Amino acid sequence: AVVQSLRANPYEEAFKGFKSVGKATVTRIFLSEATAEEELKRLQAIRPDVVLAIGMDALARVRDLRDIPIVYVMVLSPDAVSPGERRMTGVNMTISPERQLAILLEALPQTRKIGLLYDPNRTGQMAKRVRTAAEMRGISLIAGEVHRSKEVPTSIMRMRGQIDIFWMLPDLTVVTPETVDFLLLFALENHTPIFTFSEKYVELGALLSVGVDPFDMGCQAGEMVDRILSGGDVSTIPRGEARKVVVTVNMK
């Protein structure tokens, strides 16, 4: 059974990738088209061998199903939904900071100081990994904690003149429609490029993005599902990160 948060294009691409490698008979349920009670009744009636959850909302909805292995995809922070759950595995949307930093330095090898804002309750662990990756390359990380979106403008202004580039994490506290406008204006006025996680921000003025490939992530999840259907134990299949990245450069 495939439980999908909504019919968004990235989720559809992930499903196509899953179908391209999977051999199972599939029943798909969209959360946007069913109430929670109806959906759970359908899952219980289907009695699937494996549940594939596409999106954070889908994972949150199916996490309490008992005795059914769960594979997730297109989820940024699965541990926030169900930390350490042994009957669950999948592919999260994180690309290792080490890999991202290598791409950044290939584009801007003169980078010595990186600015970063993060909400410790959302991306605190990611910020720690970024700091470790930066220190290993002799780069200074100037990081600021924010707990509310309205703190972002003041926090980024404190970095003016101190950073070579600003690293935008996929943090829902830091990145909102209002804060993105301010961050892009800051970048323009202070000649400070932005390194981000989505092509859409490059279209708005960021310099470089390193994003995921939803189709390939779906393929990864499909491979995990096939291992479970072939008799594999879900607890022995390690959770993974996106293996394929999409790099977009703002040529303007």
Side-chain angles (χ1 to χ4, degrees), residues 160-183:
R160 183 167 51 183
Q162 299 184 48
I163 59 176
D164 300 319
I165 192 165
F166 178 76
W167 190 331
M168 181 192 291
L169 295 181
D171 188 309
L172 294 177
T173 302
V174 177
V175 182
T176 69
E178 294 77 17
T179 59
V180 166
D181 286 344
F182 191 91
L183 290 171

mmCIF file of all heavy atoms in Angstrom, residues 160-183:
data_model
loop_
_atom_site.group_PDB
_atom_site.id
_atom_site.type_symbol
_atom_site.label_atom_id
_atom_site.label_comp_id
_atom_site.label_asym_id
_atom_site.label_seq_id
_atom_site.Cartn_x
_atom_site.Cartn_y
_atom_site.Cartn_z
ATOM 1 N N ARG A 160 26.504 40.739 8.483
ATOM 2 C CA ARG A 160 26.908 41.623 7.400
ATOM 3 C C ARG A 160 28.400 41.931 7.480
ATOM 4 O O ARG A 160 28.918 42.321 8.514
ATOM 5 C CB ARG A 160 26.091 42.915 7.454
ATOM 6 C CG ARG A 160 26.379 43.874 6.317
ATOM 7 C CD ARG A 160 25.338 44.971 6.255
ATOM 8 N NE ARG A 160 25.135 45.620 7.536
ATOM 9 C CZ ARG A 160 24.230 46.570 7.753
ATOM 10 N NH1 ARG A 160 23.431 46.951 6.770
ATOM 11 N NH2 ARG A 160 24.113 47.116 8.942
ATOM 12 N N GLY A 161 29.085 41.707 6.359
ATOM 13 C CA GLY A 161 30.510 41.963 6.286
ATOM 14 C C GLY A 161 31.384 40.887 6.898
ATOM 15 O O GLY A 161 32.615 40.995 6.868
ATOM 16 N N GLN A 162 30.779 39.835 7.451
ATOM 17 C CA GLN A 162 31.547 38.798 8.134
ATOM 18 C C GLN A 162 31.576 37.469 7.387
ATOM 19 O O GLN A 162 32.350 36.579 7.749
ATOM 20 C CB GLN A 162 30.969 38.543 9.529
ATOM 21 C CG GLN A 162 30.983 39.749 10.455
ATOM 22 C CD GLN A 162 30.476 39.372 11.841
ATOM 23 O OE1 GLN A 162 30.887 38.384 12.432
ATOM 24 N NE2 GLN A 162 29.541 40.162 12.346
ATOM 25 N N ILE A 163 30.730 37.308 6.356
ATOM 26 C CA ILE A 163 30.630 36.005 5.695
ATOM 27 C C ILE A 163 30.851 36.140 4.196
ATOM 28 O O ILE A 163 30.598 37.181 3.600
ATOM 29 C CB ILE A 163 29.253 35.344 5.965
ATOM 30 C CG1 ILE A 163 28.095 36.225 5.467
ATOM 31 C CG2 ILE A 163 29.093 35.032 7.448
ATOM 32 C CD1 ILE A 163 26.721 35.591 5.610
ATOM 33 N N ASP A 164 31.346 35.042 3.598
ATOM 34 C CA ASP A 164 31.547 34.991 2.155
ATOM 35 C C ASP A 164 30.301 34.490 1.435
ATOM 36 O O ASP A 164 30.068 34.808 0.270
ATOM 37 C CB ASP A 164 32.720 34.062 1.815
ATOM 38 C CG ASP A 164 34.028 34.530 2.441
ATOM 39 O OD1 ASP A 164 34.270 35.744 2.425
ATOM 40 O OD2 ASP A 164 34.789 33.683 2.941
ATOM 41 N N ILE A 165 29.512 33.665 2.129
ATOM 42 C CA ILE A 165 28.317 33.082 1.531
ATOM 43 C C ILE A 165 27.358 32.699 2.647
ATOM 44 O O ILE A 165 27.786 32.429 3.789
ATOM 45 C CB ILE A 165 28.681 31.840 0.669
ATOM 46 C CG1 ILE A 165 27.489 31.402 -0.197
ATOM 47 C CG2 ILE A 165 29.206 30.695 1.520
ATOM 48 C CD1 ILE A 165 27.876 30.435 -1.310
ATOM 49 N N PHE A 166 26.051 32.701 2.344
ATOM 50 C CA PHE A 166 25.047 32.283 3.329
ATOM 51 C C PHE A 166 24.483 30.936 2.898
ATOM 52 O O PHE A 166 24.033 30.777 1.763
ATOM 53 C CB PHE A 166 23.919 33.307 3.442
ATOM 54 C CG PHE A 166 22.847 32.895 4.416
ATOM 55 C CD1 PHE A 166 23.059 32.990 5.783
ATOM 56 C CD2 PHE A 166 21.631 32.395 3.967
ATOM 57 C CE1 PHE A 166 22.077 32.587 6.679
ATOM 58 C CE2 PHE A 166 20.646 32.001 4.856
ATOM 59 C CZ PHE A 166 20.871 32.097 6.217
ATOM 60 N N TRP A 167 24.503 29.972 3.817
ATOM 61 C CA TRP A 167 23.991 28.616 3.555
ATOM 62 C C TRP A 167 22.569 28.536 4.093
ATOM 63 O O TRP A 167 22.346 28.592 5.288
ATOM 64 C CB TRP A 167 24.887 27.594 4.237
ATOM 65 C CG TRP A 167 24.630 26.158 3.882
ATOM 66 C CD1 TRP A 167 23.451 25.598 3.511
ATOM 67 C CD2 TRP A 167 25.585 25.088 3.876
ATOM 68 N NE1 TRP A 167 23.595 24.264 3.272
ATOM 69 C CE2 TRP A 167 24.910 23.925 3.490
ATOM 70 C CE3 TRP A 167 26.946 25.021 4.167
ATOM 71 C CZ2 TRP A 167 25.555 22.682 3.397
ATOM 72 C CZ3 TRP A 167 27.576 23.784 4.070
ATOM 73 C CH2 TRP A 167 26.894 22.636 3.682
ATOM 74 N N MET A 168 21.611 28.393 3.194
ATOM 75 C CA MET A 168 20.198 28.322 3.572
ATOM 76 C C MET A 168 19.788 26.857 3.772
ATOM 77 O O MET A 168 19.751 26.069 2.831
ATOM 78 C CB MET A 168 19.330 28.954 2.474
ATOM 79 C CG MET A 168 17.837 28.962 2.787
ATOM 80 S SD MET A 168 16.824 29.384 1.340
ATOM 81 C CE MET A 168 17.244 31.096 1.100
ATOM 82 N N LEU A 169 19.495 26.490 5.009
ATOM 83 C CA LEU A 169 19.039 25.134 5.309
ATOM 84 C C LEU A 169 17.536 25.020 5.080
ATOM 85 O O LEU A 169 16.810 26.019 5.158
ATOM 86 C CB LEU A 169 19.351 24.780 6.766
ATOM 87 C CG LEU A 169 20.807 24.690 7.196
ATOM 88 C CD1 LEU A 169 20.889 24.311 8.669
ATOM 89 C CD2 LEU A 169 21.571 23.688 6.351
ATOM 90 N N PRO A 170 17.036 23.817 4.833
ATOM 91 C CA PRO A 170 15.579 23.618 4.702
ATOM 92 C C PRO A 170 14.916 23.613 6.077
ATOM 93 O O PRO A 170 14.449 22.589 6.573
ATOM 94 C CB PRO A 170 15.476 22.253 4.003
ATOM 95 C CG PRO A 170 16.710 21.539 4.400
ATOM 96 C CD PRO A 170 17.788 22.581 4.533
ATOM 97 N N ASP A 171 14.898 24.765 6.699
ATOM 98 C CA ASP A 171 14.390 24.941 8.057
ATOM 99 C C ASP A 171 13.133 25.805 7.978
ATOM 100 O O ASP A 171 13.185 26.955 7.531
ATOM 101 C CB ASP A 171 15.470 25.623 8.914
ATOM 102 C CG ASP A 171 15.115 25.687 10.378
ATOM 103 O OD1 ASP A 171 14.001 26.148 10.704
ATOM 104 O OD2 ASP A 171 15.962 25.305 11.204
ATOM 105 N N LEU A 172 12.007 25.269 8.433
ATOM 106 C CA LEU A 172 10.725 25.963 8.276
ATOM 107 C C LEU A 172 10.609 27.207 9.144
ATOM 108 O O LEU A 172 9.737 28.044 8.915
ATOM 109 C CB LEU A 172 9.566 25.008 8.591
ATOM 110 C CG LEU A 172 9.395 23.830 7.629
ATOM 111 C CD1 LEU A 172 8.271 22.922 8.089
ATOM 112 C CD2 LEU A 172 9.136 24.331 6.217
ATOM 113 N N THR A 173 11.468 27.346 10.136
ATOM 114 C CA THR A 173 11.496 28.578 10.920
ATOM 115 C C THR A 173 12.269 29.659 10.178
ATOM 116 O O THR A 173 11.871 30.830 10.149
ATOM 117 C CB THR A 173 12.132 28.332 12.302
ATOM 118 O OG1 THR A 173 11.393 27.321 12.985
ATOM 119 C CG2 THR A 173 12.142 29.610 13.134
ATOM 120 N N VAL A 174 13.369 29.276 9.570
ATOM 121 C CA VAL A 174 14.234 30.235 8.873
ATOM 122 C C VAL A 174 13.680 30.618 7.501
ATOM 123 O O VAL A 174 13.755 31.785 7.087
ATOM 124 C CB VAL A 174 15.662 29.649 8.716
ATOM 125 C CG1 VAL A 174 16.555 30.605 7.932
ATOM 126 C CG2 VAL A 174 16.265 29.340 10.078
ATOM 127 N N VAL A 175 13.121 29.661 6.801
ATOM 128 C CA VAL A 175 12.698 29.872 5.413
ATOM 129 C C VAL A 175 11.182 29.977 5.330
ATOM 130 O O VAL A 175 10.452 28.985 5.409
ATOM 131 C CB VAL A 175 13.203 28.727 4.503
ATOM 132 C CG1 VAL A 175 12.791 28.983 3.055
ATOM 133 C CG2 VAL A 175 14.708 28.580 4.602
ATOM 134 N N THR A 176 10.695 31.202 5.197
ATOM 135 C CA THR A 176 9.273 31.484 4.972
ATOM 136 C C THR A 176 9.209 32.457 3.795
ATOM 137 O O THR A 176 10.230 33.043 3.411
ATOM 138 C CB THR A 176 8.629 32.139 6.208
ATOM 139 O OG1 THR A 176 9.159 33.463 6.365
ATOM 140 C CG2 THR A 176 8.897 31.334 7.475
ATOM 141 N N PRO A 177 8.039 32.658 3.195
ATOM 142 C CA PRO A 177 7.960 33.624 2.091
ATOM 143 C C PRO A 177 8.504 34.999 2.460
ATOM 144 O O PRO A 177 9.172 35.657 1.651
ATOM 145 C CB PRO A 177 6.458 33.668 1.783
ATOM 146 C CG PRO A 177 5.963 32.316 2.169
ATOM 147 C CD PRO A 177 6.763 31.940 3.388
ATOM 148 N N GLU A 178 8.257 35.436 3.691
ATOM 149 C CA GLU A 178 8.712 36.760 4.110
ATOM 150 C C GLU A 178 10.217 36.786 4.332
ATOM 151 O O GLU A 178 10.912 37.722 3.909
ATOM 152 C CB GLU A 178 7.994 37.184 5.397
ATOM 153 C CG GLU A 178 6.495 37.404 5.245
ATOM 154 C CD GLU A 178 5.712 36.104 5.187
ATOM 155 O OE1 GLU A 178 6.272 35.043 5.579
ATOM 156 O OE2 GLU A 178 4.559 36.131 4.739
ATOM 157 N N THR A 179 10.750 35.764 5.005
ATOM 158 C CA THR A 179 12.180 35.770 5.289
ATOM 159 C C THR A 179 13.009 35.561 4.022
ATOM 160 O O THR A 179 14.112 36.106 3.914
ATOM 161 C CB THR A 179 12.555 34.689 6.322
ATOM 162 O OG1 THR A 179 12.166 33.399 5.818
ATOM 163 C CG2 THR A 179 11.862 34.945 7.644
ATOM 164 N N VAL A 180 12.502 34.779 3.082
ATOM 165 C CA VAL A 180 13.237 34.568 1.828
ATOM 166 C C VAL A 180 13.427 35.896 1.111
ATOM 167 O O VAL A 180 14.511 36.198 0.598
ATOM 168 C CB VAL A 180 12.522 33.542 0.934
ATOM 169 C CG1 VAL A 180 13.084 33.580 -0.488
ATOM 170 C CG2 VAL A 180 12.673 32.139 1.512
ATOM 171 N N ASP A 181 12.389 36.708 1.063
ATOM 172 C CA ASP A 181 12.511 38.035 0.439
ATOM 173 C C ASP A 181 13.610 38.848 1.115
ATOM 174 O O ASP A 181 14.419 39.501 0.446
ATOM 175 C CB ASP A 181 11.179 38.794 0.533
ATOM 176 C CG ASP A 181 10.133 38.249 -0.426
ATOM 177 O OD1 ASP A 181 10.516 37.508 -1.359
ATOM 178 O OD2 ASP A 181 8.942 38.557 -0.245
ATOM 179 N N PHE A 182 13.656 38.805 2.440
ATOM 180 C CA PHE A 182 14.662 39.588 3.169
ATOM 181 C C PHE A 182 16.059 39.022 2.922
ATOM 182 O O PHE A 182 17.017 39.778 2.706
ATOM 183 C CB PHE A 182 14.354 39.583 4.671
ATOM 184 C CG PHE A 182 15.191 40.574 5.445
ATOM 185 C CD1 PHE A 182 14.739 41.866 5.652
ATOM 186 C CD2 PHE A 182 16.443 40.216 5.928
ATOM 187 C CE1 PHE A 182 15.517 42.786 6.342
ATOM 188 C CE2 PHE A 182 17.234 41.127 6.614
ATOM 189 C CZ PHE A 182 16.765 42.418 6.828
ATOM 190 N N LEU A 183 16.192 37.697 2.929
ATOM 191 C CA LEU A 183 17.496 37.072 2.713
ATOM 192 C C LEU A 183 18.042 37.390 1.323
ATOM 193 O O LEU A 183 19.235 37.675 1.158
ATOM 194 C CB LEU A 183 17.389 35.558 2.904
ATOM 195 C CG LEU A 183 17.152 35.073 4.337
ATOM 196 C CD1 LEU A 183 16.835 33.580 4.345
ATOM 197 C CD2 LEU A 183 18.362 35.362 5.220
#
